[in-house]
Amino acid sequence: MAGLFGDSSRTDCSAVGSTTTGVAGYDSDQMANAATIVAVGKQMIVPTRGWVIAIATAMQESGLRNLGYGDRDSLGLFQQRPSQGWGTPAQIMNPTYSATQFYKHLLAVPGWQAMSLTNAAQTVQRSGFPNAYARHEHAARIIVAAVHNATCSTTAGEWTVPALGHCSSGFGPREGVFHHGLDIAAPLGTAIVAASDGLVIDAGPASGYGLWIRIQHRGGTITTYGHNNRNHVHTGQAVFAGQPIAEVGNRGQSTGPHLHFQIEVGGEAIDPVTFYRQNGIELCS
């Protein structure tokens, strides 16, 4: 399954905006991990039910702690195993990565929203204790309520990663033409956020892109977000870094759901990976 989804977590989600209200029996580290799980779920547009399943699963697997040990080679919040294709040990120990992987496996389960929490979690986890998840459902709901305002802040300076996904096609020559942006593959409906504060200068149908958004930022830099499934902003609207503006789609000249992300400086398209690296963020590692 990891091979199917690819390396889907390219940055850290620093959860912000969660309530400071504690939950009896859980310390600040556990609540911070819960906030990250919820924030990643929100970023991926996973329904609230999925947040509860993810929190309950992490409660059972690790007690909401990012453990560097476990049964056999199990690691992290969800006790995912490198030997079973979940990722490298370093990746699994990144809460953003492990939460993203959990959600992507969950979303791939047909009818998961109609399943009991136990069955949904077990289908993803393949635990040796398949009936243990249900006992955490009530507490998981309380924890989700406490951190439900959490959102991902993936900024360094003024810039934010526009979507969580797998960088599938880079800037440069491609099949006899020049690809002027970076493709970030992600499931249909994944949240696209504004890369920085700015003004929407175009939002709507565009030849080849299907549906796009263009934002002008400070200094005249322009970012483009293409092949969108649905836009959430309109031309003339001011937006801020990290604000959801669209959903990943497969419109226009596209071979699968992804975000075409393009940056123009001085009217010329530049490599987004290099630009972000200069601003302290790795878009693709």
Side-chain angles (χ1 to χ4, degrees), residues 163-195:
L164 292 177
H166 169 62
C167 295
S168 57
S169 184
F171 179 89
R174 184 179 70 178
E175 298 178 356
V177 297
F178 197 92
H179 187 227
H180 289 93
L182 170 72
D183 289 347
I184 302 176
L188 195 72
T190 297
I192 300 170
V193 304

Side-chain angles (χ1 to χ4, degrees), residues 13-283:
C13 170
S14 299
V16 296
S18 59
T19 179
T20 56
T21 303
V23 173
Y26 297 89
D27 62 26
S28 59
D29 286 343
Q30 290 169 298
M31 294 303 292
N33 288 329
T36 296
I37 292 170
V38 167
V40 170
K42 191 177 296 185
Q43 180 89 337
M44 295 176 66
I45 317 184
V46 177
T48 306
R49 171 70 173 166
W51 310 350
V52 174
I53 294 171
I55 293 292
T57 300
M59 292 170 72
Q60 169 60 27
E61 297 293 345
S62 69
L64 281 174
R65 297 193 184 279
N66 196 27
L67 301 178
Y69 59 88
D71 178 50
R72 287 168 285 188
D73 60 337
S74 299
L75 296 168
L77 288 174
F78 296 92
Q79 291 291 280
Q80 294 158 340
R81 298 181 60 192
S83 64
Q84 298 302 306
W86 285 91
T88 67
Q91 287 172 329
I92 293 171
M93 288 300 295
N94 180 328
T96 302
Y97 178 92
S98 61
T100 301
Q101 288 295 312
F102 178 86
Y103 283 126
K104 287 197 169 184
H105 284 69
L106 178 66
L107 293 174
V109 176
W112 69 268
Q113 292 192 65
M115 292 180 174
S116 67
L117 184 148
T118 289
N119 288 342
Q122 173 62 7
T123 301
V124 173
Q125 295 293 113
R126 308 292 185 185
S127 171
F129 303 93
N131 298 315
Y133 300 108
R135 62 177 178 167
H136 299 289
E137 183 165 1
H138 178 69
R141 291 184 182 279
I142 294 173
I143 290 173
V144 165
V147 299
H148 74 281
N149 288 324
T151 57
C152 289
S153 174
T154 53
T155 60
E158 300 177 350
W159 293 90
T160 302
V161 173
L164 292 177
H166 169 62
C167 295
S168 57
S169 184
F171 179 89
R174 184 179 70 178
E175 298 178 356
V177 297
F178 197 92
H179 187 227
H180 289 93
L182 170 72
D183 289 347
I184 302 176
L188 195 72
T190 297
I192 300 170
V193 304
S196 187
D197 298 350
L199 182 71
V200 178
I201 58 175
D202 197 358
S207 178
Y209 294 89
L211 194 66
W212 77 359
I213 292 172
R214 283 170 59 80
I215 300 175
Q216 183 167 325
H217 309 278
R218 185 184 308 174
T221 298
I222 294 174
T223 54
T224 299
Y225 313 77
H227 306 301
N228 306 341
N229 185 55
R230 183 168 58 172
N231 289 347
H232 299 314
V233 295
H234 55 79
T235 302
Q237 181 176 342
V239 295
F240 57 86
Q243 176 179 338
I245 59 171
E247 299 172 6
V248 169
N250 191 28
R251 295 176 181 266
Q253 296 175 9
S254 172
T255 58
H258 72 279
L259 165 65
H260 172 88
F261 180 56
Q262 186 169 314
I263 300 177
E264 299 165 38
V265 176
E268 296 290 332
I270 63 171
D271 186 350
V273 172
T274 300
F275 178 88
Y276 266 71
R277 188 168 293 150
Q278 292 170 345
N279 283 274
I281 301 177
E282 288 292 331
L283 272 174

